[in-house]
Amino acid sequence: MTKTIDCYFDFSSPYGYLGAELIDAVAARHGCTVAWHPVLLGVIFRTTGMAPLSQVPIKGVYSVHDFARSARFLGLTYRQPGVFPIASQNAARGVLWLQATDPGRVRDYILACYRAYFNDDIDISQPDKLLPVVATLGIDPAAFTAAVNDPAIKEALKRANDAAMARGVFGSPFFFVGDEPFWGVDRLPQLERWLESGGF
Amino acid sequence: MTKTIDCYFDFSSPYGYLGAELIDAVAARHGCTVAWHPVLLGVIFRTTGMAPLSQVPIKGVYSVHDFARSARFLGLTYRQPGVFPIASQNAARGVLWLQATDPGRVRDYILACYRAYFNDDIDISQPDKLLPVVATLGIDPAAFTAAVNDPAIKEALKRANDAAMARGVFGSPFFFVGDEPFWGVDRLPQLERWLESGGF
């Protein structure tokens, strides 16, 4: 049976971007598939009492430094966005819509949004900035706009976010292999050993 | 010139324990020395608004799971202490006293305290539990007790903690190579690459 790696992520999360860039290669090495789960960290942080990394005293300065250094360490490009963090619900709703209507495009859409934000400093929280990104993938901007404003899609994202929290997700990226949770791109080495050894 | 790795740590920090067990081998591989800096995370958390990991909703459950799994991943023993977290100022003051009076014993003392707490579930915040650990190292318990109650040592630890925060320390373990900061035992791979390459 093919194993699934569940990948929870927020489009505003630098480590989520790094994880999204890397997880497919991890999955491929172990014959797994990736299930993508967009979440809204802002909502989750209200439950946990946490704050966006860059806004925590002392830790914030380090974090911005670590985002870029971690990218270099992992061989990925990174540019600190001018507006950070951003509201990511429009981009997140797009994932749910594509999963229901055009699942073959989900991965490319996620990476296109992440690269737009963390490589090209495009503020994907703004519909007029997000739509050109969507258009480059051959996705119809009008259909996309209708989808992200669809009350059913909005409600589905809320339910998905609640389900993520109920499963124990409190940050991004957050992975599961079966019931085993792994938080952070820096836990990918543990996740890989888990896949290799069936647990340790 | 021999490089120094500055290692900031709290005796109540599981990842600090894992870092302390590993940093000497990292230093040895690169011809570095380790400078040990005990800090009090409780005081630092009051400045940053952070909370002890295990007390954060949702994140706390994961963290306790991750402490033990990270230890297994790194090949180290770990037992979740019955009382956690603990006040670590007595053990921390002991480091400053030994650095001034018997520096050759500092490393063994740090590892003995950490192993007592995270392997043997000995609550080293309690003087009657800490003193037998100290005694096994050949350190005089009466002199140790006098030292950790010495107002000058107490003041020195407060100043050291303030200096750590001023340098940007907000967690444990926290390393510096020159001015380059590395937070967390999971940043040791980046720290090693930094030492190998002179920065990246």
Side-chain angles (χ1 to χ4, degrees):
Chain A
M1 199 182 78
T2 305
K3 270 192 185 160
T4 299
I5 302 172
D6 286 300
C7 176
Y8 294 79
F9 65 98
D10 185 310
F11 277 111
S12 188
S13 159
Y15 300 123
Y17 154 64
L18 301 178
E21 290 281 0
L22 297 172
I23 193 63
D24 280 299
V26 173
R29 279 195 285 277
H30 301 278
C32 299
T33 56
V34 176
W36 299 96
H37 303 272
V39 295
L40 302 178
L41 278 188
V43 175
I44 293 175
F45 286 171
R46 284 201 288 277
T47 294
T48 59
M50 294 167 69
L53 270 179
S54 63
Q55 295 173 11
V56 178
I58 309 181
K59 190 177 185 178
V61 174
Y62 172 83
S63 296
V64 172
H65 182 75
D66 189 68
F67 299 157
R69 188 183 60 200
S70 290
R72 294 195 302 275
F73 180 73
L74 296 165
L76 297 166
T77 54
Y78 182 83
R79 195 204 302 189
Q80 182 62 32
V83 182
F84 179 83
I86 52 169
S88 56
Q89 58 266 44
N90 281 335
R93 287 174 196 148
V95 176
L96 299 194
W97 173 63
L98 286 172
Q99 285 173 331
T101 59
D102 196 356
R105 281 201 163 114
V106 167
R107 178 180 176 275
D108 286 349
Y109 168 80
I110 291 169
L111 291 179
C113 288
Y114 261 140
R115 291 171 186 173
Y117 186 45
F118 288 112
N119 286 335
D120 302 328
D121 197 9
I122 293 168
D123 178 358
I124 58 170
S125 71
Q126 303 301 317
D128 64 321
K129 304 283 178 60
L130 178 57
L131 287 179
V133 176
V134 165
T136 61
L137 298 166
I139 298 167
D140 176 37
F144 181 88
T145 299
V148 301
N149 290 296
D150 179 343
I153 301 263
K154 292 182 180 183
E155 182 58 29
L157 180 59
K158 279 185 203 164
R159 283 200 309 272
N161 212 49
D162 288 343
M165 269 193 285
R167 199 179 182 187
V169 173
F170 58 84
S172 165
F174 204 106
F175 307 100
F176 282 93
V177 174
D179 291 330
E180 189 67 16
F182 299 89
W183 170 48
V185 68
D186 44 29
R187 285 297 177 276
L188 285 180
Q190 293 195 26
L191 186 154
E192 281 221 66
R193 188 179 302 172
W194 196 272
L195 288 169
E196 283 157 17
S197 60
F200 60 85
Chain B
M1 200 181 78
T2 306
K3 270 192 186 159
T4 299
I5 301 171
D6 287 300
C7 176
Y8 294 79
F9 66 98
D10 185 311
F11 278 110
S12 188
S13 159
Y15 300 121
Y17 155 65
L18 300 177
E21 290 281 0
L22 297 173
I23 194 63
D24 280 301
V26 172
R29 278 195 286 279
H30 301 279
C32 299
T33 57
V34 176
W36 299 97
H37 303 272
V39 295
L40 302 178
L41 278 188
V43 175
I44 293 174
F45 285 171
R46 285 202 289 276
T47 294
T48 58
M50 295 167 67
L53 270 178
S54 63
Q55 296 172 11
V56 178
I58 311 180
K59 189 177 184 178
V61 174
Y62 172 83
S63 296
V64 172
H65 182 75
D66 188 69
F67 298 156
R69 188 183 60 199
S70 290
R72 294 195 301 277
F73 180 73
L74 296 165
L76 297 167
T77 55
Y78 182 84
R79 195 204 301 189
Q80 183 62 32
V83 183
F84 178 83
I86 52 169
S88 55
Q89 58 265 44
N90 281 336
R93 288 173 195 147
V95 176
L96 299 195
W97 174 63
L98 285 172
Q99 284 173 330
T101 59
D102 195 357
R105 280 199 164 116
V106 166
R107 179 180 175 277
D108 286 350
Y109 168 80
I110 291 169
L111 291 179
C113 288
Y114 261 140
R115 291 172 185 172
Y117 186 47
F118 288 111
N119 286 336
D120 302 327
D121 198 7
I122 294 169
D123 179 357
I124 58 170
S125 71
Q126 305 300 317
D128 64 319
K129 304 280 178 61
L130 178 57
L131 287 179
V133 176
V134 166
T136 62
L137 298 168
I139 298 166
D140 176 38
F144 181 88
T145 300
V148 300
N149 290 297
D150 179 342
I153 301 262
K154 292 181 179 181
E155 183 58 28
L157 180 60
K158 279 185 203 164
R159 282 199 311 270
N161 211 51
D162 288 343
M165 269 193 285
R167 198 179 183 188
V169 172
F170 58 85
S172 164
F174 204 106
F175 307 99
F176 283 92
V177 174
D179 292 329
E180 188 68 17
F182 299 90
W183 170 48
V185 67
D186 45 29
R187 284 297 176 277
L188 285 180
Q190 292 195 26
L191 186 154
E192 282 220 65
R193 188 178 303 171
W194 197 271
L195 289 170
E196 283 158 16
S197 60
F200 60 85

